[in-house]
Amino acid sequence: MTRLAEAFRGQAQSCAHLGSPFMDQLMQLLAGKLDHGGPVMERLRAWPGDVSSRGASLPLRLAGGLHALVLTGKAPELAAVYPPNEVDDDMLWQGVSDALATHSAFLLDWLERPPQTNEVRRSVVLIPAARLVAQRFGLPLSLSELGASAGLSRVRERRALL
């Protein structure tokens, strides 16, 4: 379990360094609660191989699944403890713990998918493509990618920008 706790703490450090205090809080909290959480945490504890960001990225997989529950509206109690709300560790754990119990099948399925990262960097090719399409057809173009980038991959091209 030490390797799993280290993976969550390492992800927390990365999140703190990148200016994401909520994710830092969530990852630190999860690192200390690995003995709780029913089948989801059991699956994480049993995961073979490297669970860190250099391997299976289990902290990001779980964070992505929890965020998906919030974004889809499947877990309003969890959404109530997610930003923009600011909550203490006890309130956050209550929301996460309830989601782990109530939505374990969803989260177990989510854990099987590797996280998608670097969406912002991939957007570099979308910007010139959007400009070309807008020039050619003379229409406004709006492309939004939903996911881990939290809207950072949003590309908007308007005729006025050409």
Side-chain angles (χ1 to χ4, degrees):
M1 180 145 38
T2 302
R3 66 186 176 102
L4 187 56
E6 288 172 3
F8 275 93
R9 286 189 191 99
Q11 188 63 52
Q13 283 182 325
S14 294
C15 292
H17 178 72
L18 293 170
S20 182
F22 172 76
M23 287 302 295
D24 174 27
Q25 178 188 15
L26 178 63
M27 294 292 106
Q28 290 286 359
L29 183 64
L30 289 167
K33 300 286 189 178
L34 296 174
D35 289 333
H36 309 284
V40 174
M41 291 304 205
E42 286 175 23
R43 175 68 179 115
L44 294 179
R45 289 191 305 266
W47 200 278
D50 186 357
V51 297
S52 74
S53 61
R54 290 181 228 66
S57 294
L58 291 190
L60 287 180
R61 288 180 192 225
L62 181 56
L66 292 169
H67 194 209
L69 288 172
V70 170
L71 291 176
T72 60
K74 291 181 181 185
E77 298 81 14
L78 183 61
V81 297
Y82 261 59
N85 305 305
E86 292 185 27
V87 297
D88 63 21
D89 285 353
D90 291 336
M91 289 179 67
L92 180 56
W93 177 245
Q94 185 62 51
V96 169
S97 164
D98 289 348
L100 291 171
T102 306
H103 301 284
S104 62
F106 176 87
L107 292 168
L108 286 168
D109 181 57
W110 192 275
L111 289 175
E112 297 305 317
R113 299 181 232 154
Q116 291 291 315
T117 58
N118 299 322
E119 286 87 356
V120 175
R121 184 171 46 199
R122 286 197 301 266
S123 294
V124 168
V125 299
L126 294 176
I127 293 168
R131 174 164 265 147
L132 179 67
V133 169
Q135 283 176 335
R136 183 169 193 159
F137 296 103
L139 299 171
L141 174 67
S142 179
L143 170 68
S144 296
E145 177 184 354
L146 302 177
S149 67
L152 293 174
S153 294
R154 194 171 341 198
V155 175
R156 290 203 165 211
E157 185 64 55
R158 291 193 177 98
R159 191 170 177 82
L161 296 174
L162 305 173

